[in-house]
Amino acid sequence: MNRTTRAAVAAVAGLSVLATSLAAAAQPRDLIGARAGQGENSLRSRGYQLDHTDGGVQYWWHPGNRECINLFVDDGRYDTIDRRPSAECNAGKGGKKDNTGAIVAGALAIGILAAAAASSKKKHEDDRYRDDDDRRRDPPYSPARGVDCYPSQRACYERGRGYSPSWTSREFGYRY
């Protein structure tokens, strides 16, 4: 083969590998229902990095295509996976998060809720305290430094690392 033919073959091979990896990275929805621990390995192999966690929600950042996704873990499995604006991932802002929009939106939401509550004539005592009762019955706890467990999800997370199969197994009796 001459030099041009070899270059063309190498370019086609490179593009096919790139297309395959982009297709894999662009399809995280195939992880819905997967165990969170297995899903984390799959996301890492696709180029995603765990950005941060917020309760039972994990935020993942893909530096190659600058994409932020969040995953909700329920009962130790991925339940919901959504693409999010890159600003929701700390890595998308070079490690610094601009919360101005969130603060304005939060203040606006509080104002709307306060107005709605003030204009309400009928009070629903049962509805008002239902969420608080659930939190009192099943509050999150920390069995060790850097580990948070959520009984309502039956899952534990290590801060900065995400879902922890070993702590989940230890705290809730799962066997892997």
Side-chain angles (χ1 to χ4, degrees):
M1 280 198 287
N2 65 24
R3 184 183 288 187
T4 306
T5 306
R6 275 188 267 159
V9 169
V12 168
L15 286 174
S16 67
V17 169
L18 178 64
T20 303
S21 65
L22 286 176
Q27 298 297 327
R29 293 191 185 279
D30 65 328
L31 298 175
I32 292 177
R35 285 188 186 156
Q38 293 170 342
E40 283 187 18
N41 291 335
S42 179
L43 285 167
R44 283 192 175 96
S45 70
R46 297 175 188 196
Y48 285 91
Q49 300 168 352
L50 181 62
D51 188 76
H52 67 281
T53 59
D54 185 11
V57 181
Q58 299 176 353
Y59 289 82
W60 289 80
W61 175 251
H62 192 286
N65 59 10
R66 302 191 50 78
E67 178 181 51
C68 180
I69 60 172
N70 71 354
L71 302 107
F72 178 74
V73 179
D74 185 32
D75 200 22
R77 295 187 177 271
Y78 285 143
D79 184 47
T80 308
I81 301 174
D82 293 313
R83 295 193 196 296
R84 305 304 304 161
S86 62
E88 289 190 24
C89 282
N90 291 329
K93 288 285 197 177
K96 297 180 181 175
K97 194 169 185 179
D98 181 12
N99 291 330
T100 307
I103 292 170
V104 170
L108 182 60
I110 289 171
I112 291 171
L113 289 173
S119 68
S120 176
K121 293 181 182 175
K122 188 174 180 182
K123 295 184 180 181
H124 301 279
E125 295 296 309
D126 292 342
D127 291 341
R128 183 184 301 165
Y129 298 107
R130 183 173 298 144
D131 290 337
D132 290 338
D133 289 342
D134 289 344
R135 279 190 218 109
R136 276 192 292 262
R137 245 183 289 136
D138 243 357
Y141 64 94
S142 180
R145 176 181 260 183
V147 177
D148 296 314
C149 294
Y150 299 86
S152 60
Q153 295 177 11
R154 296 188 54 82
C156 295
Y157 301 88
E158 290 184 69
R159 291 184 199 130
R161 298 179 116 192
Y163 176 77
S164 173
S166 60
W167 277 103
T168 298
S169 175
R170 179 176 173 180
E171 294 297 309
F172 300 108
Y174 292 131
R175 295 176 191 234
Y176 289 98

